[in-house]
Amino acid sequence: MLISHSIWAQECTTISMTGNPEFPPVTWNQKDGTLTGAYVEYASTVMKELGVKPEIEPSGNWARAQLRVKRGEVDLLLAPYYNKHRALWLHFIHPSVSLDPAVVFVKKGNQFRYRQFADLKAKKGVLQRGYSLGVQFDEYAKKNLSIVWVNSWDSAFQMLMMKRVDYLPHSYYAGLLQVKKLGLENDVETLEPPILEDKMYLAISIKSPCVSIIKRLSTVVERLKTDQVHGRINGNVYKNLQQREPTYMRSFVWTRIEPVFGSVICGRVPI
């Protein structure tokens, strides 16, 4: 075992990373298909501190990104929330690095009183397939809530606009950018308080040779968190995204009619 561990340590000079292509400012795909975002920049900063070369790999969608890491095809998953199912195939690097609290988005005019998870019981929600809001919400939702799952956030917001669902839980900054991209600033609002203060992580596949650097990774993550490096990176990325909105908007076009649960709605897809 010691010999194997030593070999793994020598092999981990490069680490492949992937994440959600529809989660700005945390992670998202640019027009040319490359994955970028605050967590990409943050993870790259961490790896450079360790002398490990980061290789960023786009994966098509969030469910596919998770599957590739689960299979060991990619070493590291960017910004997943912790849940017990993911813990079966991921080593979560502690401490967590929080960038974006989760809130409830609703269509303007369809607001309702929200103070706790139980207030969602009589409502229908929508989420991107493969998306997790952490153990507490996930387990409550599985037992108590009516959730529609779709392949993209664009489809989710369109369902919200069509009143096919009542609410959409999403990370605050990522949701605001999605709303702006879709031109829904005057049609959508958020409820208070947040569903949860997010706890995102860097997480390594249990099948990756880079499990050997977990302890060193945690040390660097803790130090950078104390120095508030992640907050500065997130703020800069979000600010740049707002300034470059036309470029970001042009990376998506209305080109596909996407069937969702028996109906047809328009969806934006990357080109």
Side-chain angles (χ1 to χ4, degrees), residues 18 23 26-27 39 62 76-81 86 200-203:
T18 193
F23 198 21
V26 180
T27 54
Y39 236 90
W62 182 224
L76 185 143
L77 189 63
L78 296 162
Y81 291 108
R86 288 175 177 163
M200 299 174 185
Y201 292 86
L202 298 176

Side-chain angles (χ1 to χ4, degrees), residues 159-197:
M159 290 188 74
L160 189 67
M161 290 299 95
M162 296 169 68
K163 297 185 180 181
R164 297 200 60 203
V165 295
D166 303 301
Y167 69 94
L168 186 159
H170 199 357
S171 297
Y172 180 68
Y173 291 112
L176 287 184
L177 287 168
Q178 195 78 22
V179 165
K180 193 169 187 178
K181 185 186 75 173
L182 294 170
L184 300 175
E185 297 99 317
N186 297 322
D187 302 305
V188 175
E189 61 185 20
T190 60
L191 304 181
E192 293 289 344
I195 290 179
L196 76 161
E197 296 296 328

